[in-house]
């Protein structure tokens, strides 16, 4: 039985006033049903999602180049973002004021709040200048810097675990008790470029996705080595060849710890890593999916349609509509199956 309070007339509802270019990242506030989206039209937009699945625009702020990432503060009152303008910016929803809070020497690809619960806010930014910087919003310069081996492509944090994935398939794992020294630096278990990384609810590992239609399930503790595995997904197999699609986004369910993958094959899938099984698949949704996010209680799933440039400029068909869809989650689709 589906007890989801979002009484949508259809399973998927389009958001109001969607971005005019591809979405780089989606993020829900953990405190309210506010959705933020960073997009290639230089904008970061915030909507309030109503109980009937409709959406109301609440705020927006701009970068001077494509907005590449976004995240919410723990109190749900602030949105931060990074962009190709090399700047990190923050919107305070209470005041409506947007300010610059970070600066890099190259585009900022990743941004997260990384402080422990009930601590003063600390923001981590990682960029194509091969730097990971930590910021106290009350100061204009970083409180700490870490030189990365390569350009940052993906990052996630569930304090005390911080994972940064870079070019050349490098992964840096930090314990936030010692934020300037990697606890581990390893090579991705996947053979091709990293697209996305997401930390587990239990803070004991992470899921990583690549451009080759493959996901790696990784654990930090060597005693959990037997739980590490990788699997293929988002592929089309024919008698003559296999077509591989990029895993563009991985989102962890905030209640069950199951997770989603989404791809430029126009599908998203819910998985149970512990049982090593697929829970539910939604295919042929009309366009590549570039970003996803669960809301705070896991009953709403947002996914963004748009071109991900996987086929270069020639593949940028005008028929691909840039938009964000809201999917009412059926509990049995994301709940782990009994083993």
């Amino acid at each position: 039985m589906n007890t989801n309070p979002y009484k949508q007339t259809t399973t998927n509802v389009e958001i109001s006033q969607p971005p005019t270019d591809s979405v780089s990242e989606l993020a829900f506030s953990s405190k309210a049903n506010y959705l933020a989206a960073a997009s290639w039209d230089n904008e970061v937009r915030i909507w309030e999602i109503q109980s009937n699945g409709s959406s109301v625009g609440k705020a927006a702020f701009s970068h001077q180049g494509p907005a590449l990432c976004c995240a919410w503060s723990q109190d749900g009152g602030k949105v931060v973002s990074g962009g190709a303008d090399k700047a990190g910016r923050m919107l305070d929803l209470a005041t409506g004021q947007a300010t610059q809070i970070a600066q890099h020497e190259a585009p900022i690809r990743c941004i997260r709040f990384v402080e422990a619960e009930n601590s003063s806010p600390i923001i981590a930014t990682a960029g194509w200048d091969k730097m990971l910087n930590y910021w106290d919003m009350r100061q204009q310069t970083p409180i700490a810097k870490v030189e990365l081996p390569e350009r940052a492509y993906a990052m996630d944090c569930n304090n005390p675990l911080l994972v940064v994935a870079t070019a050349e398939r490098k992964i840096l794992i930090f314990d936030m008790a010692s934020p300037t020294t990697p606890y581990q630096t390893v090579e991705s278990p996947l053979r091709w470029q990293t697209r996305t990384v997401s930390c587990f609810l239990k803070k004991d590992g992470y899921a990583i996705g690549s451009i080759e239609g493959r996901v790696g399930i990784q654990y930090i503790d060597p005693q959990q080595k037997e739980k590490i595995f990788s699997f293929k997904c988002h592929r089309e197999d024919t008698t003559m060849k296999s077509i591989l699609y990029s895993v563009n986004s991985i989102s962890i369910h905030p209640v069950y710890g199951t997770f989603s993958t989404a791809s430029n094959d126009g599908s998203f899938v819910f998985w149970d890593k512990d049982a090593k099984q697929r829970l539910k698949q939604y295919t042929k949704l009309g366009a590549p999916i570039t970003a996803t996010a669960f809301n705070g209680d896991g009953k709403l799933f947002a996914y963004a349609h748009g071109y991900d440039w996987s086929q270069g400029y020639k593949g940028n068909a005008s028929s691909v509509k840039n938009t964000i869809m809201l999917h009412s989650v059926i509990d049995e689709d994301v709940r782990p199956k009994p083993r």
Side-chain angles (χ1 to χ4, degrees), residues 83-99:
D85 58 358
K86 311 174 188 178
R89 304 183 188 276
M90 180 187 72
L91 176 72
D92 187 324
L93 266 67
T95 65
Q97 290 187 324
T99 54

Side-chain angles (χ1 to χ4, degrees), residues 81 85 87 135 147 171 180 188 214 269 299 314:
S81 60
D85 58 358
W135 306 84
E147 189 171 345
I171 302 172
T180 58
S188 169
R214 192 182 291 264
V269 187
K299 295 181 178 179
K314 292 182 179 179

Side-chain angles (χ1 to χ4, degrees), residues 315-326:
N316 189 15
S318 58
S319 58
V320 176
K321 180 181 180 181
N322 298 295
T323 192
I324 300 169
M325 304 299 294
L326 301 171

Side-chain angles (χ1 to χ4, degrees), residues 53-215:
S54 64
S55 52
V56 178
K58 296 294 290 185
F61 62 102
S62 300
H63 282 262
Q64 294 175 4
L68 302 178
C69 51
C70 62
W72 286 88
S73 59
Q74 289 189 14
D75 64 7
K78 299 175 178 66
V79 176
V80 292
S81 60
D85 58 358
K86 311 174 188 178
R89 304 183 188 276
M90 180 187 72
L91 176 72
D92 187 324
L93 266 67
T95 65
Q97 290 187 324
T99 54
Q100 182 172 340
I101 48 89
Q103 183 72 43
H104 277 244
E105 296 299 317
I108 297 175
R109 181 63 184 89
C110 317
I111 193 165
R112 288 291 185 270
F113 282 89
V114 298
E115 74 276 5
E117 196 170 352
N118 300 318
S119 300
S120 297
I122 300 295
I123 296 167
T125 55
W128 292 343
D129 56 358
K130 306 180 185 180
M131 294 300 298
L132 168 65
N133 294 339
Y134 297 101
W135 306 84
D136 182 326
M137 292 182 291
R138 297 166 295 186
Q139 302 181 26
Q140 293 185 344
T141 56
I143 57 174
K145 294 184 175 184
V146 180
E147 189 171 345
L148 301 172
E150 254 294 351
R151 293 153 291 160
Y153 281 171
M155 181 174 75
D156 197 26
C157 182
N158 190 358
N159 188 288
L161 176 63
L162 172 70
V163 180
V164 183
T166 74
E168 303 300 331
R169 300 171 48 244
K170 300 298 183 184
I171 302 172
L172 290 84
I173 300 155
F174 294 85
D175 179 345
M176 292 309 295
S178 181
T180 58
T181 304
Y183 174 73
Q184 292 179 6
T185 299
V186 298
E187 196 167 86
S188 169
L190 311 179
R191 291 179 294 175
W192 299 94
Q193 179 181 306
T194 302
R195 281 287 287 139
T196 181
V197 66
S198 195
C199 296
F200 298 154
L201 279 189
K202 294 183 179 179
K203 311 177 183 183
D204 56 354
Y206 56 93
I208 184 170
S210 73
I211 62 171
E212 59 164 328
R214 192 182 291 264
V215 169

Side-chain angles (χ1 to χ4, degrees), residues 272 274-275 337-339:
D272 180 353
D274 299 321
K337 298 290 192 293
R339 284 184 286 169

